[in-house]
Amino acid sequence: LGAALGRGAYAQVRAGHDTRTGRQVAVKVCDRGRLNARERGRVNMECHVMSQLRHRNIVPLVEVLEHGSLVYI
């Protein structure tokens, strides 16, 4: 992952590179270990909603990965 692009209440967004497509991507990194049950539910709902959206002005969700307590969106 590259430079930090922003930070929210429970996640950090970092620059990334999709090695399969060669495209630049933004990766949201959430530490589930630091979230309460309500916040974990919000992260799950965000992933579900993003996976359903198809609009030219919305960045598409490419993949969701989990590694330990970290979730990469």
Side-chain angles (χ1 to χ4, degrees), residues 55-67:
H55 190 276
R56 63 188 173 111
N57 293 331
I58 298 176
V59 177
L61 176 67
V62 176
E63 190 170 13
V64 177
L65 300 171
E66 296 184 37
H67 181 71

Side-chain angles (χ1 to χ4, degrees), residues 5-36:
L5 302 175
R7 179 180 294 276
Y10 55 84
Q12 182 180 47
V13 178
R14 301 185 67 92
H17 179 80
D18 187 336
T19 58
R20 294 173 294 176
T21 64
R23 294 173 54 191
Q24 289 183 322
V25 295
V27 181
K28 186 174 191 176
V29 183
C30 301
D31 185 348
R32 286 190 180 201
R34 300 182 65 188
L35 304 178
N36 63 37

